[in-house]
Amino acid sequence: MSARKPYVGGNWKMNLNGSQAVDLASKLADGFTAGDQAQATVFPAFPYLEKVGQALTAKNSAIQLGAQDFYHQPNGAFTGEVSLDMLKDVGASVVLIGHSERRHVIGENDILINEKVLASLEAGMEVILCIGEKIEQREANQTDAINTGQLGYGLAGVSGEQMAKVTIAYEPVWAIGTGKTATSQDAQNTHQAVRRALAFLYNDGVANATRIQYGGSCKPTNAAELFAQADIDGGLIGGAALKPEDFLAILQTAAESAGVPA
Ligand code: PGA
């Protein structure tokens, strides 16, 4: 049985207006009562972080507030960017780093991603570091090489102690927002390879303690099978995180998977 607490993130991406975001947050706060069994974070767009945080706090919710991105410098001439202190100031305690849309649509590279990981840990934030292969890389049998490479670059300079604040999200790029999910066995195989890589980079203790979320068209209908895999410790959810009933069902599945022998 895994001692890792299941962890589910809701990545709202560039969706919802302010009142929709607050409405979703309050419905999730009302419905999520399994904070002891599972950890949950939502990632609204920047302009609504504070409002969403207030809606969660007003209901004493265990759901944490996270940001989809930030810039790693503390302040200065970085037009358009947002610092970690600014995020902390509006109540965010978690950051997403290296999401495939930031890697492949916006153009972030492993060096920037590593700078972001180091800066956020230095600032005391929790980190979800996303990794994942593209379809052509999977077809060329490079899945493990790509994922362990992104893992090693992303975590360069991160100590074993700091890993207590790091969660990995494995998100095959071809499965994100496409309705195509990796089979639970394919996902498990990659999660196992990522955990082995963590043991190589650190040690067995760190590898066994680090949560690895699955992301990519995870929904209420496939969450149970995915979360039942030995090395899958929850999910990073996009589309299904925008519907309160779907996200709550996934959270419930994660909470139930906590006691499942793996
Ligand atoms: P999806 O997105 O659930 O819509 O596939 C997952 C993600 O991008 O984190």
Side-chain angles (χ1 to χ4, degrees), residues 11 13 99 171 175-177 216-217 236-239:
N11 177 7
K13 309 192 181 186
H99 190 278
E171 301 201 293
I176 297 178
S217 300
L236 185 58
I237 320 297

Side-chain angles (χ1 to χ4, degrees), residues 6-10 38-43 128 213 227 233-237 247 250-251 254-255:
Y7 187 8
V8 176
Q39 185 176 348
T41 301
V42 290
F43 298 87
I128 297 182
Q213 299 173 327
F227 299 172
D233 307 307
L236 185 58
I237 320 297
F247 193 62
I250 294 170
L251 281 173

Side-chain angles (χ1 to χ4, degrees), residues 159-177:
S159 71
E161 292 78 66
Q162 286 177 313
M163 284 303 290
K165 288 206 160 212
V166 176
T167 295
I168 306 301
Y170 165 58
E171 301 201 293
V173 178
W174 47 272
I176 297 178

Side-chain angles (χ1 to χ4, degrees), residues 158-226:
V158 174
S159 71
E161 292 78 66
Q162 286 177 313
M163 284 303 290
K165 288 206 160 212
V166 176
T167 295
I168 306 301
Y170 165 58
E171 301 201 293
V173 178
W174 47 272
I176 297 178
T178 57
K180 287 185 205 146
T181 322
T183 64
S184 51
Q185 192 54 53
D186 280 348
Q188 163 59 22
N189 290 345
T190 306
H191 281 234
Q192 195 175 37
V194 169
R195 202 174 300 287
R196 278 202 208 107
L198 286 170
F200 175 76
L201 292 171
Y202 296 96
N203 52 50
D204 284 349
V206 168
N208 288 330
T210 303
R211 271 91 53 92
I212 308 175
Q213 299 173 327
Y214 169 80
S217 300
C218 181
K219 38 191 182 282
T221 45
N222 59 23
E225 195 186 330
L226 286 162

